[in-house]
Amino acid sequence: MSLKMDASLIKEIEASGSVDVNRCYHCGNCTAACPLSTRANTFPRRYMKYVQMGLREKIKASPEPWLCFQCNDCSVKCPRDAKPGDVMAVLRKQALVEYGTPKFLARFVSDGSLLNSLLVAVVVIALTLLIRFPLEAVLKPVLDAFDKLVGMHPHTGTVVYAHFFPHWLLIGLFTIATGFTMFNGILGIFKFWKDMAENDSKSGVSGSKKGLVGSTVKVLTDIMVHKKFGDCGTAPSRKSSHLILVLGFIALFIVTSYAVFSLYVLKVYPFSMLHPMKILGNLGGVALLAGVIIMIMNRKNNPKEMGIAGSFDWSFLWVILGVGITGFLTQFLRFSGPASMAYANYFIHLIFVFYLLVYLPYSKFGHILYRTVALVYMEASGRNGTAITATPPVQTAAPSENIEQSAGSESRQAE
Amino acid sequence: MADTKTGLYICTGCGIGDDLNVDELAKNGPGENSADISKNHPFLCSREGINLIKDDITNEGVNRLCIAACSLRAVHDAFNFDGCITERVNLREQVTWTHKPQDEDTQLMAEDYVRMGMVKLNESKENTPFLPEDPMSKDILVVGGGVSGLTAALDGAKAGYDIVLVEKEARLGGYQARVGKIAEHPYKGVMENNISGLISQVKGHEKIKTYTSAQVEKTLGSPGLYKVTIRHNGAVAEHPIGAIVMAAGWKPYDPQKLDESLGYGKSKNVITNAIFEDISKDGSVTRPSDDKVVNSVAFLQCAGQRDPKHLPYCSAFCCVTALKQALQVKTQNPEARVMVVFKEMRTAGHAEDLYLTAQEAGIIFIRSQNARVHTEGSLAVEVEDELLGENLLLENLDMVVLATGVVPLTAQGDDIGSRQGAEEEEEKKKDELAIPPDVIRESNILNLDYRQGPEIPALENDFPDSHYICFPYESRRTGIYAAGCVRRPMGISQAVTDGQGAVMKAIQCIEITHRGESVHPRSGDISLPEFAMQRCTQCKRCTVECPFGAINEDEKSNPIHQPTRCRRCGICMGACPERIISFKDYSVSMIGNMIKAIEVPDEEDEKPRILVLACENDAVPALDMAGFHRLQYNAWVRVVPLRCLGSMNLVWIADSLSKGFDGILLLGCQHGDDYQCHYVRGSELSKIRLSKVSETLNRMQLESDRVRYETVSISDFSKLPAIMDEFAETLDKVGPNPFKGF
């Protein structure tokens, strides 16, 4: 079966990421420079070709875009300034749209502006607040029964966020909205898995298959220490900022889950400032803010190394920053602020959180799903062959190569 | 020459004096050929040393000089004395720098070389330049009015020479006049064709006589003395001509012969790059089937090129042509889908910029070795993309353009060699020398009146043989220089350079010939072969073997030498079984006597002797290079330089073996398709002649190991010591020559 070319793809990609794929003359420097490209998974040149040739289906069914952590070694070494690293990033963004349902929402989040996406969140949250009292009236017996079951706890102080936005409403809104999009997200990754498997069997690629559970555990363990990210030839701050951010998110996720548990089961809420969970939550918040601020600074200071950042990339960073700042303000204003200011801030906080959680499969946050799946697929299908890195296997040549690389990154930093 | 007085001058500089006993050398070396005057000097090429020689010339009347110093290739100008015959003996590179100092063997070697030098000096006679009675012409004939022909004509005329330009078409411009747009330096994009400017310059030049719709009917004579008959529009013109530039051009490969899988002939919309030029000349590129403006085009490169079934070579400009044509389509419609399917994209030099321009314009490049065209249903091309390892289908194409290649005009017509081959089959059996005939096609370009055939012999792929490594524009006919696509495939700017280069070579030939000298490689040589006709047996060996067609025949098969065609290589001298051909300073008997002057010690002395017959163009310089690098080699060797190994006469082999030489080593140039012989076939001919040597060896009951043939190039100098040492070891095993002492 011969593949058919789709001439419109290149225009889409170029429009989507302000890259010029036509500049690529297939020399392969990018693939040679890539520390993560292996014999079994060659990229980025292959993907530059796929885009030029308009092989949409091939790209859609490939894990490789997700194996790239965009260290941009390829873009820095590209003799034609074709920015393969950025093209790979655009392919990831396109994949979120390809596998995203509903399509209009995926397009709206990934290609639209941050402001529009946030406006929708504002409307949804405002509407939820508007229907709070009618809903409360309708649901009163249920809510009362529920309260009786779990018991209510005393709320003290002038600022009680639950008075403004009751827990049942908050949890209800986010469960329904996030549940809807996450369900679609899960469908997306299942489709993705199926496409990858079909493509591999069509092209006759096979490896020694491994168990799904084992592969997942291996990949998650690697993610916890950012193993692959570490192989990436980027400046160390990139790996560490991402790791700090991830740890912050994990801490906050644990604290949030515990808070719900504590609220309804242990009936201890809110926590005192010295409660271990409170401390963990604050540490997580600090990590989140620190990580995202380093990332923003990195992008601002090293545009060449970091690649082209479009609204897709910036939106995600600004939203995390927004979540972090308003999160801390929420805590601070609970004790000190006038209620109006505290609630206003809380409202804004919820908007950012909405963006983060509800839009997850369509925003840059989606990589948490697709990248993980791609990595698990690579592990489970046995395609993670012997890695061929940019460093030649010859022992004697290795040190000089390393020196050169580190010298290169130093000089790049100096720039 | 009535009065001869010889002088032997030994330089003791550069270590010669330290390593050799120079006084003994002067005494024992010359022997019966001893010089009238013998002097040493510690720095012979200095002003003082030269004055020493000049004094002897003026005061003592010395007119024959044997300079025993360094290689002939060193300080050539210093040892050049008017009115004297000079012989150089190489004591530096070949003796002291490559052998043990103060050693008996080294001393014996030096003595032999001095003796050989004195023999050669005494047997040499003075040459006089050949100046014919008939007046020689300085006009240049340019055949072909394309880019290179026009440039050659114009530049030749600007240099002050009268030009006769012959074009077979009714208009000038050649293939270039068929072309709409061009892509040329600086390759920033598609440019307008500018051939008309060149044409009007040529037409307007008073020194250029142009014949269109014309044909060279006959080319008689030799450089400086050509008589060319031109037929044009029914009339006939005759011109005396000095030298010829052949810029006959090319034609596209016949697409009907292409592989069926390329789809030519199955659909009107599968065209060639040449047809593209024809249909796009009016400015718009339209589909041949219905004149619709094209929207999607695939260019398939190397159609029947670099393919042993069709043209085995690259036609050099098709990649740039495809870029140009693809850009034309893109300019017409920036939204058009344009794909170039290539095996290798060859955009040398600045043409790379055009490739980048095309790429930035959105033209898609696909590397594939096996493009197939589907003509059923919609026009499509199926390729295996080599970078992706995927089969791709390029569908809904409006047009497929096949890049067919260059066929030189010299490739047309039958090969006269294959026809004669059958006739001469019987003769050859008698002769036993199986010399492969030259390919000479009746391409109707020059119609030479040469015994060997009417056109220039072809080497690879029917391009006229050109010694492209060292001597571009050269053909195997002295005074005839090839330029443009008839020489090899090339683009416009290269064709311009070619026209300029070839006409410069033509001018050089004319001027040198007017002085009675040889054109290169023996530039400036005035010696000529002399034929002792009373002993000629009309065997035709000389006429057959001369690589340059310098010897015609009369009706009785007597050789008639054409001096201005001659390169003075001496291949005829080596070929002649009767040994009737000799030069005044280079002959069979002279080299024979030099060999005889080498002292071959008796068997008991355990000093074997190896005769090395070395080509002066590559092997001797390689020996010099070995000297510069102070490489040490066997001291049994005695080197005799030959003008070309092709001038080797078998009698030397027989004579030296019967004299007691233990072995003979021949050092020649590589032959075959990638020959390096300066005289094209000399080393090959000597190898063929050697096949007869086994007969001689058998008759003398000697082992065939005693004669060895090696090919060396100048860069092989480091291998020479091993070759000679290894040969000496072999001879040691074979044992001494039983003829020693007879």
Side-chain angles (χ1 to χ4, degrees):
Chain A
M1 237 326 260
S2 297
L3 298 168
K4 292 173 183 176
M5 292 173 64
D6 180 349
S8 62
L9 177 68
I10 189 164
K11 292 196 188 99
E12 269 174 46
I13 299 290
E14 292 188 344
S16 172
S18 59
V19 286
D20 188 355
V21 183
N22 271 332
R23 293 188 68 87
C24 167
Y25 57 18
H26 325 131
C27 64
N29 266 332
C30 48
T31 303
C34 179
L36 295 175
S37 172
T38 66
R39 196 186 292 274
N41 336 288
T42 53
F43 62 93
R45 177 174 71 176
R46 172 174 291 271
Y47 291 84
M48 299 299 280
K49 279 284 294 180
Y50 279 165
V51 174
Q52 285 187 344
M53 311 290 288
L55 304 179
R56 201 185 286 276
E57 296 304 310
K58 272 284 177 190
I59 298 172
K60 196 180 165 192
S62 294
E64 279 84 358
W66 297 105
L67 304 185
C68 162
F69 291 80
Q70 207 184 354
C71 63
N72 271 332
D73 275 3
C74 52
S75 293
V76 170
K77 289 188 178 153
C78 176
R80 290 285 288 146
D81 202 18
K83 302 194 172 66
D86 291 318
V87 174
M88 295 297 272
V90 177
L91 296 183
R92 288 191 287 275
K93 179 178 148 194
Q94 293 297 99
L96 295 176
V97 178
E98 288 280 353
Y99 287 107
T101 23
K103 216 38 110 219
F104 77 89
L105 189 56
R107 285 235 168 75
F108 178 72
V109 176
S110 97
D111 288 337
S113 76
L114 174 62
L115 211 60
N116 287 343
S117 308
L118 291 177
L119 269 178
V120 168
V122 170
V123 170
V124 172
I125 292 170
L127 277 177
T128 314
L129 278 177
L130 272 181
I131 59 165
R132 172 188 165 183
F133 294 106
L135 212 59
E136 231 168 14
V138 176
L139 296 176
K140 192 152 182 25
V142 184
L143 291 172
D144 285 349
F146 188 70
D147 277 352
K148 211 169 278 169
L149 190 72
V150 299
M152 274 304 284
H153 47 83
H155 274 129
T156 54
T158 49
V159 179
V160 179
Y161 290 119
H163 292 165
F164 170 61
F165 211 125
H167 288 129
W168 66 268
L169 193 62
L170 186 70
I171 294 168
L173 165 68
F174 276 94
T175 310
I176 291 167
T178 313
F180 170 71
T181 55
M182 278 307 281
F183 175 73
N184 285 321
I186 304 283
L187 275 186
I189 59 174
F190 271 102
K191 268 195 283 173
F192 181 37
W193 185 286
K194 196 168 136 265
D195 284 350
M196 287 191 289
E198 265 175 20
N199 181 46
D200 275 359
S201 71
K202 238 189 281 175
S203 356
V205 176
S206 63
S208 51
K209 300 226 178 338
K210 286 180 205 149
L212 200 55
V213 178
S215 306
T216 313
V217 169
K218 164 119 187 7
V219 167
L220 291 180
T221 328
D222 286 351
I223 288 176
M224 283 318 292
V225 294
H226 278 33
K227 187 162 173 286
K228 293 252 179 192
F229 216 147
D231 290 341
C232 219
T234 183
S237 72
R238 189 123 185 282
K239 174 193 166 187
S240 43
S241 63
H242 190 266
L243 189 58
I244 292 168
L245 190 60
V246 168
L247 291 176
F249 264 113
I250 291 170
L252 290 168
F253 178 74
I254 293 169
V255 171
T256 310
S257 308
Y258 184 81
V260 175
F261 175 74
S262 177
L263 174 67
Y264 289 111
V265 182
L266 304 179
K267 300 175 181 71
V268 179
Y269 197 82
F271 308 129
S272 84
M273 285 312 282
L274 293 173
H275 189 282
M277 278 296 159
K278 193 76 188 172
I279 293 169
L280 182 65
N282 274 314
L283 282 178
V286 169
L288 183 96
L289 270 179
V292 81
I293 287 168
I294 299 172
M295 282 180 173
I296 290 170
M297 299 307 287
N298 261 345
R299 279 213 180 268
K300 290 266 182 222
N301 295 336
N302 311 313
K304 186 168 167 64
E305 197 181 55
M306 293 299 180
I308 306 167
S311 81
F312 178 75
D313 305 283
W314 281 120
S315 301
F316 187 50
L317 292 179
W318 294 132
V319 166
I320 296 173
L321 186 70
V323 165
I325 292 172
T326 55
F328 273 109
L329 278 177
T330 304
Q331 179 177 274
F332 174 73
L333 290 172
R334 185 153 75 86
F335 303 113
S336 61
S340 57
M341 214 162 145
Y343 293 150
N345 171 67
Y346 187 55
F347 185 78
I348 296 169
H349 182 62
L350 289 181
I351 291 165
F352 283 128
V353 172
F354 186 93
Y355 185 102
L356 213 55
L357 297 184
V358 180
Y359 293 159
L360 184 145
Y362 324 118
S363 78
K364 203 175 178 186
F365 212 177
H367 74 271
I368 199 171
L369 296 175
Y370 291 93
R371 191 184 295 279
T372 312
V373 166
L375 289 168
V376 172
Y377 177 81
M378 291 301 295
E379 194 65 30
S381 68
R383 266 182 64 189
N384 262 349
T386 322
I388 302 166
T389 62
T391 318
V394 185
Q395 287 286 315
T396 49
S400 64
E401 185 84 3
N402 288 339
I403 289 162
E404 200 181 290
Q405 272 188 358
S406 59
S409 59
E410 271 165 29
S411 66
R412 262 182 265 145
Q413 275 178 323
E415 279 165 24
Chain B
M1 207 183 289
D3 254 3
T4 61
K5 193 162 184 182
T6 48
L8 170 62
Y9 298 91
I10 302 176
C11 179
T12 57
C14 296
I16 298 172
D18 303 333
D19 297 350
L20 295 172
N21 186 339
V22 174
D23 295 334
E24 288 293 308
L25 189 64
K27 232 186 287 164
N28 295 337
E32 62 202 52
N33 277 303
S34 63
D36 300 322
I37 289 176
S38 174
K39 283 182 181 169
N40 303 343
H41 193 273
F43 191 177
L44 196 58
C45 58
S46 67
R47 186 177 296 169
E48 201 185 309
I50 298 296
N51 283 339
L52 175 87
I53 300 172
K54 278 187 176 163
D55 281 351
D56 285 355
I57 293 170
T58 334
N59 302 330
E60 305 285 338
V62 172
N63 52 12
R64 287 168 176 250
L65 310 164
C66 183
I67 311 287
C70 45
S71 165
L72 172 71
R73 296 162 61 82
V75 290
H76 181 267
D77 291 341
F79 296 125
N80 189 14
F81 303 99
D82 285 342
C84 296
I85 297 175
T86 308
E87 180 59 29
R88 298 281 294 270
V89 173
N90 185 354
L91 293 182
R92 192 177 70 170
E93 288 85 349
Q94 275 180 27
V95 183
T96 57
W97 279 0
T98 41
H99 298 91
K100 271 186 233 151
Q102 297 294 351
D103 184 79
E104 188 195 356
D105 286 335
T106 312
Q107 182 73 20
L108 287 175
M109 177 184 255
E111 286 173 10
D112 276 340
Y113 282 142
V114 172
R115 213 177 296 118
M116 287 156 75
M118 288 305 298
V119 167
K120 189 165 182 213
L121 184 67
N122 281 325
E123 299 210 1
S124 292
K125 292 180 200 76
E126 199 170 11
N127 281 303
T128 44
F130 171 79
L131 297 169
E133 287 164 19
D134 302 334
M136 285 202 271
S137 168
K138 286 198 171 187
D139 298 356
I140 298 167
L141 171 71
V142 177
V143 183
V147 175
S148 31
L150 291 170
T151 311
L154 193 61
D155 278 29
K158 281 180 185 167
Y161 292 82
D162 286 307
I163 308 289
V164 178
L165 177 62
V166 177
E167 167 58 50
K168 71 168 190 270
E169 304 281 338
R171 48 129 186 85
L172 289 175
Y175 195 88
Q176 204 50 39
R178 264 179 76 175
V179 169
K181 309 267 185 199
I182 60 167
E184 254 312 306
H185 193 81
Y187 294 107
K188 295 297 179 204
V190 176
M191 295 151 75
E192 292 303 320
N193 194 345
N194 54 1
I195 187 78
S196 53
L198 189 57
I199 294 173
S200 59
Q201 267 183 289
V202 167
K203 279 185 175 162
H205 206 291
E206 55 175 6
K207 285 184 102 60
I208 303 174
K209 169 81 185 142
T210 307
Y211 294 99
T212 46
S213 307
Q215 168 73 44
V216 175
E217 201 171 65
K218 198 89 220 153
T219 305
L220 280 166
S222 58
L225 300 163
Y226 284 121
K227 293 270 177 297
V228 176
T229 313
I230 297 157
R231 181 169 290 279
H232 66 108
N233 300 325
V236 170
E238 246 193 43
H239 283 275
I241 292 293
I244 299 170
V245 172
M246 183 174 84
W250 63 288
K251 56 181 189 199
Y253 186 70
D254 180 4
Q256 302 288 355
K257 294 186 196 159
L258 291 174
D259 292 349
E260 221 175 300
S261 62
L262 291 176
Y264 185 83
K266 286 194 217 157
S267 159
K268 272 188 179 173
N269 297 329
V270 178
I271 63 170
T272 67
N273 46 5
I275 298 171
F276 185 102
E277 291 302 334
D278 296 340
I279 63 172
S280 68
K281 213 181 166 189
D282 63 350
S284 75
V285 187
T286 53
R287 195 159 72 173
S289 61
D290 57 2
D291 280 343
K292 174 187 159 267
V293 170
V294 290
N295 232 344
S296 57
V297 185
F299 290 86
L300 307 193
Q301 296 309 100
C302 288
Q305 296 193 62
R306 302 167 66 213
D307 178 348
K309 288 195 302 247
H310 302 284
L311 300 179
Y313 49 87
C314 164
S315 292
F317 60 72
C318 325
C319 284
V320 172
T321 302
L323 292 174
K324 174 193 78 175
Q325 295 175 345
L327 278 166
Q328 278 177 267
V329 175
K330 267 284 185 193
T331 314
Q332 182 177 298
N333 174 12
E335 293 303 310
R337 274 167 65 218
V338 184
M339 287 147 289
V340 178
V341 181
F342 64 95
K343 286 183 183 174
E344 269 87 29
M345 207 67 199
R346 292 183 169 179
T347 51
H350 289 172
E352 181 76 359
D353 287 355
L354 193 68
Y355 172 78
L356 300 181
T357 307
Q359 221 192 2
E360 281 161 22
I363 292 162
I364 302 293
F365 291 87
I366 303 166
R367 184 183 154 114
S368 173
Q369 308 291 331
N370 63 345
R372 295 171 301 285
V373 179
H374 298 300
T375 47
E376 299 86 26
S378 90
L379 191 58
V381 173
E382 197 182 350
V383 297
E384 194 198 336
D385 187 308
E386 277 199 333
L387 288 183
L388 297 177
E390 306 273 6
N391 272 322
L392 304 171
L393 192 64
L394 321 177
E395 289 179 304
N396 302 321
L397 298 170
D398 287 332
M399 199 157 86
V400 170
V401 184
L402 307 172
T404 53
V406 165
V407 179
L409 276 204
T410 44
Q412 59 188 9
D414 291 338
D415 171 22
I416 61 143
S418 58
R419 208 181 326 136
Q420 284 178 350
E423 291 169 22
E424 287 175 3
E425 198 63 34
E426 250 175 82
E427 263 180 79
K428 256 180 216 155
K429 262 180 214 157
K430 272 186 278 170
D431 196 29
E432 276 186 23
L433 273 191
I435 294 168
D438 292 327
V439 175
I440 298 180
R441 293 193 182 278
E442 289 178 314
S443 49
N444 198 20
I445 297 171
L446 295 174
N447 290 308
L448 300 168
D449 181 44
Y450 279 48
R451 182 262 177 210
Q452 288 78 4
E455 300 292 337
I456 291 175
L459 184 73
E460 275 182 295
N461 308 315
D462 290 327
F463 287 92
D465 178 12
S466 164
H467 203 314
Y468 42 80
I469 301 169
C470 308
F471 319 124
Y473 321 116
E474 273 294 318
S475 76
R476 281 200 26 204
R477 295 294 175 252
T478 308
I480 303 175
Y481 301 93
C485 278
V486 79
R487 182 166 84 83
R488 64 176 177 76
M490 61 182 71
I492 300 167
S493 55
Q494 173 98 58
V496 169
T497 314
D498 245 47
Q500 292 166 337
V503 82
M504 288 303 137
K505 290 296 291 183
I507 291 170
Q508 186 188 46
C509 170
I510 288 171
E511 293 302 326
I512 286 176
T513 305
H514 273 71
R515 297 204 296 263
E517 295 172 359
S518 166
V519 296
H520 77 271
R522 296 190 63 81
S523 309
D525 190 0
I526 55 170
S527 70
L528 278 173
E530 289 158 4
F531 295 68
M533 287 306 295
Q534 59 277 19
R535 285 190 281 129
C536 177
T537 60
Q538 291 82 33
C539 74
K540 299 187 194 175
R541 286 258 56 85
C542 55
T543 52
V544 169
E545 293 194 23
C546 175
F548 302 99
I551 307 171
N552 274 3
E553 268 166 27
D554 65 9
E555 51 292 350
K556 289 180 189 155
S557 297
N558 283 312
I560 303 167
H561 186 241
Q562 311 288 312
T564 62
R565 291 184 198 166
C566 183
R567 307 284 181 109
R568 285 81 165 168
C569 56
I571 287 176
C572 50
M573 177 180 119
C576 183
E578 297 300 315
R579 309 193 283 278
I580 65 161
I581 304 172
S582 41
F583 296 80
K584 286 208 161 71
D585 53 359
Y586 188 62
S587 68
V588 176
S589 69
M590 181 189 290
I591 303 295
N593 287 337
M594 282 169 75
I595 295 169
K596 282 181 192 134
I598 300 167
E599 276 182 4
V600 180
D602 286 342
E603 202 182 319
E604 304 84 73
D605 294 341
E606 292 188 358
K607 288 188 190 301
R609 284 292 174 259
I610 302 169
L611 180 68
V612 179
L613 297 176
C615 157
E616 263 178 15
N617 303 292
D618 259 43
V620 170
L623 284 165
D624 282 355
M625 293 276 280
F628 297 150
H629 288 82
R630 304 297 198 276
L631 304 177
Q632 303 290 302
Y633 54 78
N634 194 287
W636 303 345
V637 299
R638 297 294 182 266
V639 179
V640 177
L642 301 184
R643 288 187 176 190
C644 170
L645 208 54
S647 67
M648 183 229 19
N649 199 296
L650 283 179
V651 72
W652 299 333
I653 309 279
D655 283 359
S656 49
L657 286 173
S658 52
K659 186 175 157 63
F661 274 93
D662 297 276
I664 297 163
L665 177 63
L666 295 113
L667 296 178
C669 306
Q670 187 180 318
H671 45 78
D673 279 351
D674 297 322
Y675 70 88
Q676 303 211 336
C677 177
H678 284 49
Y679 301 100
V680 188
R681 295 189 73 179
S683 55
E684 183 188 5
L685 290 167
S686 66
K687 178 96 198 245
I688 294 169
R689 275 178 222 150
L690 266 190
S691 62
K692 283 191 102 181
V693 159
S694 56
E695 203 181 289
T696 314
L697 290 168
N698 288 341
R699 197 180 60 226
M700 296 170 78
Q701 294 183 317
L702 286 173
E703 299 78 0
S704 58
D705 284 349
R706 292 195 188 275
V707 180
R708 182 175 290 191
Y709 180 96
E710 295 280 352
T711 57
V712 287
S713 65
I714 193 161
S715 51
D716 287 338
F717 69 89
S718 59
K719 298 178 193 157
L720 277 173
I723 290 174
M724 291 188 277
D725 292 346
E726 198 271 326
F727 187 44
E729 267 173 48
T730 310
L731 291 174
D732 205 28
K733 275 182 214 140
V734 174
N737 184 341
F739 285 91
K740 270 184 208 295
F742 279 93

